[in-house]
Amino acid sequence: MNVHRTVVTAARVLAQLRADHRTIALMLVVPCVLIGLLAWIFQDTPVFDALGAPLLGVFPFVVMFIVTSVATLRERTSGTLERLLTTPMGKGDFMLGYALAFGVMAVLQALVATGFAVWVCGLDVAGPVWQLVVVAVLDALLGSALGLLASGFARTEFQAVQFMPAFVLPQFLLCGLLVARDRLPDVLHVVSDVLPLSYAVDAMKVVTTSASPGQDVTADATVIVGWVVASLVLGSLTLRRRTA
Amino acid sequence: MMNNAVEIDGLRVVRGGRTVIPGLSVRVPAGQVVGLLGPSGSGKSTLIRAVVGVQVVAAGSVRVLGEPAGSPTLRHRIGYVTQSPSVYDDLTVRANVRYFASILGAPRTSVDEAIAAVDLGSHADSPVGRLSGGQRSRASLACALVGDPELLVLDEPTVGLDPVLRRDLWDLFGRLAAQGRSLLVSSHVMDEAARCDRLLLLREGEVLADATLPDLLQRTGATDAEGAFLALIDRAEEAAR
């Protein structure tokens, strides 16, 4: 592990993103548009206050998952990854570099989306707003880390894009938004206890409904961070210096 | 001083169920430009991948600069340029070279030197994706040169270049070898053989010849590398009959 190589890799990924204005705009605008739509659909009902915050966690998660998995797949297919792995670059440096770069984007995205939800759409938040931002950042990071891991199993862009429904939609169905998790059939409840998006959604719910959510949020956040770390470790194991 | 930059013994490589290299033994002397020539599909890229340590090998030993290919200590000492330019299209030439310089721990001054060496100074601030094919492959080469490697392994670096640029690059390779570096350069353009100190002719994963060009011409009675190559193939096929 080497801090310098991690940081220059993150800087390089960010420089690539900076050259692509449309992608940055999409990353920042799409979650806002979705949240705005949601607020509009459910205007004059309490639904937006119930669903707004959880979806504030889900949208950045999905966006980051797709962007990260395509970005790393591009690195594999263009030959730059193979080349980097003939240099002193460590697999962990590579993974952390990507996580760091998309972490920066996650902070930006979370600030914009949360600000929009709270101040423009009038989302009611019982707990502190900064905790909402922190959880949104963690959710976006989770999306990036899972995207990095998923791209290890994709050989083509077609596969990578389909990992979104494959990895993400089952978690969305089981995360407690459609049916509260304790009302799920036993087997599905157990599965939802394992999946990381459940904790992302739980944390968002707690912050919006409880005035002092600190402890519960910390517990959920710990699970999310655990998943981020595990995905990055597993993801770096999918990198092979030698291939057939 | 090592005598050989690369020593390969009994190398066997199987890719996708097909034996690409059945059993190859060869030496690449240090401080020279060694040309790896052969038609496409002859196993040049596979051999090169084995040398830089990214190829899974079925059997045999590959030693590079005195160490097993792929050793962590070699990662500072080898420059590898893949056949299709592996650089970031959305970054400028300078940003690409600077990134590889940081990874390799090369000094900042080496960035402009490497760009100048491949004659891309006037395009240093253009995104690589907007450059022509030849310019992109030179940008890719600059990313390998910037680390000042002892051994440069180049897979078809002159494809798509005009004659002037090709000459300039071969001049550069000659200068690098004169400074004591070793170069293994693959090509399927036989007339580039004249620019190599030594030739490895590869066909169907086997070494057809390992000699200098004058030796090869004398042995086959041919007037150029292409003629020599064809003569050797004819002989091999006659012997097989």
Side-chain angles (χ1 to χ4, degrees), chain A residues 4-5 8-9 12 15-16 19 74-75 78-80 82-89 241-244, chain B residues 15 49 53-56 69 75-76 80-82 86-88 90-91 99-100 102-104 140 143-144:
Chain A
H4 174 69
R5 287 195 278 270
V8 296
T9 299
R12 186 265 294 170
Q16 285 180 281
R74 233 172 37 160
E75 186 111 35
S78 70
T80 45
E82 174 172 303
R83 180 178 201 166
L84 281 177
L85 292 179
T86 66
T87 71
M89 169 78 90
R241 287 194 194 266
R242 280 183 191 271
T243 50
Chain B
R15 292 184 85 173
R49 283 168 47 84
V54 299
Q55 177 66 51
V56 173
R75 287 178 200 144
H76 275 288
Y80 171 39
V81 179
T82 50
S86 42
V87 277
Y88 300 99
D90 33 16
L91 296 182
Y99 175 59
F100 280 94
S102 316
I103 297 293
L104 294 161
S140 189
C143 293

Side-chain angles (χ1 to χ4, degrees), chain A residues 58-100:
Chain A
V58 172
F59 295 149
F61 171 83
V62 174
V63 171
M64 292 305 246
F65 181 93
I66 300 175
V67 173
T68 320
S69 56
V70 171
T72 37
L73 183 75
R74 233 172 37 160
E75 186 111 35
R76 282 169 203 266
T77 51
S78 70
T80 45
L81 179 62
E82 174 172 303
R83 180 178 201 166
L84 281 177
L85 292 179
T86 66
T87 71
M89 169 78 90
K91 298 175 191 176
D93 302 337
F94 178 83
M95 278 292 170
L96 278 182
Y98 260 93
L100 196 62

Side-chain angles (χ1 to χ4, degrees), chain B:
Chain B
M1 180 76 207
M2 255 164 307
N3 295 326
N4 291 319
V6 180
E7 300 183 341
I8 300 175
D9 288 295
L11 174 68
R12 205 166 87 81
V13 178
V14 180
R15 292 184 85 173
R18 209 172 65 85
T19 303
V20 184
I21 296 180
L24 183 147
S25 300
V26 81
R27 301 281 179 271
V28 173
Q32 294 192 358
V33 181
V34 176
L36 181 60
L37 300 181
S40 58
S42 58
K44 299 191 297 292
S45 291
T46 305
L47 182 58
I48 276 182
R49 283 168 47 84
V51 168
V52 296
V54 299
Q55 177 66 51
V56 173
V57 302
S61 99
V62 181
R63 293 184 70 80
V64 179
L65 302 173
E67 306 198 45
S71 298
T73 47
L74 286 175
R75 287 178 200 144
H76 275 288
R77 304 171 66 195
I78 300 184
Y80 171 39
V81 179
T82 50
Q83 194 165 355
S84 51
S86 42
V87 277
Y88 300 99
D89 278 347
D90 33 16
L91 296 182
T92 64
V93 174
R94 184 172 281 122
N96 268 289
V97 179
R98 201 188 290 139
Y99 175 59
F100 280 94
S102 316
I103 297 293
L104 294 161
R108 287 225 144 201
T109 50
S110 62
V111 172
D112 285 331
E113 286 168 22
I115 295 172
V118 298
D119 198 20
L120 275 181
S122 54
H123 292 86
D125 295 312
S126 307
V128 173
R130 296 228 192 99
L131 302 181
S132 72
Q135 290 168 329
R136 291 174 69 217
S137 65
R138 279 184 287 149
S140 189
L141 177 59
C143 293
L145 290 178
V146 75
D148 193 16
E150 292 166 56
L151 170 67
L152 264 169
V153 184
L154 312 174
D155 201 353
E156 309 234 6
T158 56
V159 166
L161 298 187
D162 67 60
V164 178
L165 276 171
R166 260 169 55 188
R167 183 197 61 198
D168 291 352
L169 274 190
W170 281 102
D171 286 347
L172 171 66
F173 300 160
R175 283 201 303 280
L176 291 169
Q179 292 165 10
R181 293 185 186 79
S182 311
L183 289 93
L184 179 61
V185 185
S186 81
S187 174
H188 66 268
V189 186
M190 288 294 170
D191 60 8
E192 295 192 329
R195 307 299 310 264
C196 303
D197 297 316
R198 197 171 180 84
L199 300 175
L200 287 174
L201 293 189
L202 214 60
R203 183 169 183 260
E204 289 172 3
E206 297 190 61
V207 178
L208 209 56
D210 176 4
T212 62
L213 183 59
D215 276 355
L216 204 61
L217 296 182
Q218 198 186 10
R219 214 193 317 158
T220 55
T223 53
D224 58 14
E226 185 146 348
F229 185 72
L230 292 172
L232 286 169
I233 291 175
D234 289 344
R235 267 187 222 174
E237 279 177 356
E238 249 166 62
R241 251 180 242 138

Side-chain angles (χ1 to χ4, degrees), chain A residues 38 42 47 50-51 54-55 58 168-185 188 192 197-198 201-202 205:
Chain A
L38 196 73
F42 292 112
V47 178
L51 282 186
L55 288 177
V58 172
V168 172
L169 288 187
Q171 296 197 57
F172 179 75
L173 295 178
L174 296 173
C175 71
L177 271 182
L178 301 183
V179 175
R181 293 204 295 123
D182 49 17
R183 298 219 311 268
L184 286 170
L188 293 182
S192 84
L197 194 63
S198 310
V201 167
D202 283 353
K205 276 185 183 164

Side-chain angles (χ1 to χ4, degrees), chain A residues 7 14 23-24 39 60 66 73 79 91 125 148 151 191 208 216 222 233:
Chain A
V7 171
L14 285 174
T23 292
I24 294 190
I66 300 175
L73 183 75
K91 298 175 191 176
V125 185
L148 280 167
S151 80
V191 174
T208 41
D216 291 339
T222 309
V233 171

